[in-house]
Amino acid sequence: MNDVPLSDADYVEAHPHSSRQARAIAEAGTILRVQVGSGVHGTAVDGSDDRDEMGVCLEPPAFVTGIARVPNPVATSGSTVPFEQWEYHTAWQRAGGLANRSGAGDLDVIVYSARKYAQLAASGNPTVLLPLFVPDAEIVTITEAGRELRDGAAAFASMHAAQRFSGYMTKQRYGISGERGRTNRPELVAEFGYDCKYAMHALRLGVQGIEYLSTGRITLPVPEPHLTALREVRLGQWSLADVLAWYDDLDAQLAALAATEPLPREPDRAWIDAWLHRSYTRFWAARA
């Protein structure tokens, strides 16, 4: 189901959403799972990146219409949480657990319940929108409900995305410039004067945000000429001043687009609700 198998023997319950029961629900009900990290954007550097996957699943009726919950393995005995997602990183299997940073060859995976996924996508969350647009070659798992979700990508497009893309970019700009907060790659700061991987992702968000607000879609991998420029930034080949100048230009373009409201103000909630109802009822009926 993924390129980096999660060994049952090595599996570590290290996070509120990493319990074995949450994993079982997610894997049994997966309708879509895709690559969403640097590999799908085209910005990965050979041999140095982990693999990020995102999925969508349908959970059993008790977790939707009832009050069933899953264990919270890192809380006190008996504590539980609602099932909204399953999250796991193979880096957690090494000594140090949750504190480990993912590295080359690691798998980072998150599988959302379809209801949680739909809420996030309808709010314009940039990362959560990606499974709607990845090339077929990047799909790990897909069912009929997953195909319907991807076919209905236009239903999620709205001006809520303008605020989301801009907000994510602003947060990352502070990290790049050191004005506020810090990044977690001090080795890159020491070598290049700034976290070039963090900077690349901030610029990528700007490029993709402009496309999404203009068309309601995101092209993956990032098309040229932006892809080459982003890879150059990732490799530390741009000065911090040039990175920030490009960032400011992208930010200004996003603001100008937001002012013209090229997308609907709200997502197509009727389509989203109908898809959720249809997908859950079919899933439950098939397992009755």
Side-chain angles (χ1 to χ4, degrees):
M1 195 171 180
N2 45 257
D3 287 352
V4 186
L6 299 179
S7 166
D8 286 335
D10 296 331
Y11 192 83
V12 177
E13 297 178 298
H15 183 275
H17 297 291
S18 69
S19 71
R20 292 176 186 270
Q21 186 177 353
R23 176 186 177 184
I25 292 170
E27 292 185 339
T30 295
I31 60 170
L32 180 64
R33 184 161 162 182
V34 304
Q35 181 178 192
V36 293
S38 295
V40 78
H41 296 295
T43 57
V45 175
D46 291 344
S48 65
D49 287 276
D50 55 11
R51 177 181 172 91
D52 297 302
E53 291 184 1
M54 183 178 294
V56 183
C57 73
L58 300 165
E59 60 269 46
F63 293 88
V64 180
T65 63
I67 59 172
R69 294 163 69 90
V70 294
N72 178 353
V74 298
T76 57
S77 178
S79 180
T80 60
V81 294
F83 178 81
E84 294 184 334
Q85 66 206 56
W86 168 58
E87 181 172 353
Y88 198 77
H89 306 262
T90 54
W92 294 351
Q93 295 177 177
R94 297 192 290 272
L98 196 66
N100 290 329
R101 196 172 83 197
S102 295
D106 279 323
L107 172 69
D108 296 343
V109 57
I110 184 166
V111 178
Y112 291 108
S113 77
R115 292 174 302 133
K116 177 70 174 288
Y117 177 85
Q119 291 169 357
L120 292 172
S123 75
N125 182 296
T127 303
V128 170
L129 289 169
L130 294 175
L132 302 175
F133 304 111
V134 301
D136 289 349
E138 302 295 349
I139 296 174
V140 178
T141 299
I142 192 167
T143 68
E144 180 182 359
R147 284 188 287 271
E148 289 181 0
L149 173 63
R150 281 170 52 86
D151 290 344
F156 294 91
S158 79
M159 288 308 300
H160 289 298
Q163 202 171 27
R164 297 293 182 179
F165 275 95
S166 180
Y168 275 53
M169 284 184 67
T170 298
K171 180 180 178 181
Q172 291 191 303
R173 188 196 192 286
Y174 289 136
I176 298 167
S177 64
E179 296 172 53
R180 189 184 307 169
R182 62 179 182 177
T183 67
N184 64 352
R185 301 181 187 91
E187 70 281 3
L188 295 181
V189 176
E191 183 174 359
F192 302 109
Y194 66 98
D195 185 335
C196 52
K197 185 173 183 179
Y198 197 78
M200 179 273 293
H201 283 305
L203 296 169
R204 173 186 57 76
L205 278 168
V207 169
Q208 292 177 334
I210 290 167
E211 180 186 15
Y212 190 69
L213 290 187
S214 301
T215 67
R217 299 193 64 81
I218 298 172
T219 302
L220 295 166
V222 177
E224 295 291 4
H226 294 120
L227 180 57
T228 293
L230 289 172
R231 288 181 61 83
E232 289 172 352
V233 171
R234 171 67 181 85
L235 293 169
Q237 296 173 359
W238 284 42
S239 69
L240 176 57
D242 288 341
V243 166
L244 294 177
W246 188 13
Y247 172 94
D248 290 340
D249 178 62
L250 293 172
D251 193 44
Q253 291 184 59
L254 269 178
L257 275 170
T260 67
E261 296 193 359
L263 294 180
R265 290 191 176 185
E266 296 293 333
D268 187 345
R269 300 183 189 280
W271 185 94
I272 296 169
D273 284 345
W275 172 78
L276 285 168
H277 176 77
R278 181 171 65 252
S279 299
Y280 274 106
T281 54
R282 285 176 181 172
F283 178 69
W284 295 339
R287 286 154 180 76

